[in-house]
Amino acid sequence: MNYTSPVWSASALITIDTQNDFTLPGAPAEIKGTSQVLPNMKSLLDAYRAKGLPIIHVIRLYKEDGSNVDLCRKELIENGAKIVAPGSEGAELVQEIRSSEYVALKADELLPGGLQAVGPMEWVMYKPRWGAFYQTVLERFLRERGIDTLVFTGCNFPNCPRTSMYEASERDFRVVMVEDAMSQVYDKGIQEMRNISVLVCGTGDALRAISL
């Protein structure tokens, strides 16, 4: 039996941290290369929306007092850096990946662990650390909807996408990494993902698979 091949009809598309402060050129915490992969992300999002398949946008929010910030960035925020601050434009998803029903993020719902609907089958979820499953309801949310395959895109492979894909594998989800719809991807990382049976593919391959 093949336990790791994607079941595209039972998949969800995950975007990671594709927010203005991490994505836009010149933004305070810009991750180089993220703005360049937005067209591929948009193509995948459009395909998932057309198919009525679920989409989860996973984001960070850093309270301005630093109280919820991971230790490696806590001092930076406490000293006045404003990065993905709740209620700021910098915390919003970039324009290119928003659904037509998108509304401003509601930090008072997201920070306690709720998911905010931003489309018919589309949600935003806050994660407090690198991984999308750490202290979140993501696994339960996916299981309740019969999702067994997760397709990952977004910002800064070495940190949050990489951690989230390992966490998904640990929980026995089938995992897809769309390498040209993710920033800061490197060859060794691709090999490491393949070593745990993540399907690493391009946007074109994913779009063809979704359309079948």
Side-chain angles (χ1 to χ4, degrees):
M1 182 179 290
N2 189 322
Y3 292 106
T4 59
S5 292
V7 180
W8 295 93
S9 61
S11 69
L13 180 63
I14 310 290
T15 77
I16 303 284
D17 295 348
T18 315
Q19 299 163 265
N20 288 328
D21 277 350
F22 296 132
T23 305
L24 298 181
E30 178 193 359
I31 302 298
K32 298 293 185 182
T34 307
S35 61
Q36 284 76 15
V37 302
L38 291 177
N40 288 340
M41 291 182 66
K42 184 179 186 305
S43 294
L44 290 163
L45 286 160
D46 288 346
Y48 267 76
R49 289 166 184 150
K51 284 282 188 178
L53 291 169
I55 297 165
I56 299 98
H57 302 282
V58 183
I59 64 161
R60 301 297 292 267
L61 293 170
Y62 294 153
K63 293 181 181 180
E64 293 181 59
D65 64 2
S67 61
N68 71 327
V69 180
D70 29 348
L71 293 181
C72 63
R73 293 174 178 165
K74 194 175 184 71
E75 185 177 4
L76 178 70
I77 301 300
E78 288 178 341
N79 288 338
K82 290 181 171 53
I83 299 170
V84 293
S88 71
E89 184 60 26
E92 298 292 334
L93 297 181
V94 294
Q95 186 70 43
E96 289 88 339
I97 70 167
R98 298 180 189 181
S99 68
S100 59
E101 293 90 354
Y102 186 81
V103 295
L105 300 183
K106 300 175 182 177
D108 58 337
E109 294 180 14
L110 293 166
L111 285 167
L115 276 76
Q116 178 183 338
V118 291
M121 287 289 286
E122 195 162 344
W123 298 267
V124 175
M125 186 197 81
Y126 159 74
K127 60 177 172 54
R129 292 296 182 268
W130 309 118
F133 291 89
Y134 178 76
Q135 293 187 0
T136 74
V137 299
L138 182 57
E139 181 175 7
R140 186 181 72 204
F141 184 84
L142 296 167
R143 300 290 187 206
E144 288 173 350
R145 287 157 179 78
I147 300 302
D148 80 346
T149 298
L150 301 182
V151 180
F152 284 89
T153 66
C155 175
N156 204 16
F157 165 76
N159 292 356
C160 299
R162 176 190 173 98
T163 303
S164 298
M165 286 187 282
Y166 273 111
E167 288 181 336
S169 177
E170 287 177 333
R171 289 161 176 79
D172 293 333
F173 287 99
R174 301 165 191 256
V175 180
V176 178
M177 170 184 168
V178 187
E179 61 176 318
D180 58 356
M182 188 178 291
S183 59
Q184 295 293 313
V185 175
Y186 53 91
D187 290 343
K188 179 64 173 176
I190 288 174
Q191 186 56 53
E192 289 169 346
M193 291 296 103
R194 288 178 171 152
N195 287 346
I196 61 168
S197 295
V198 170
L199 174 66
V200 181
C201 69
T203 298
D205 293 327
L207 289 173
R208 283 187 287 274
I210 295 163
S211 69
L212 296 177

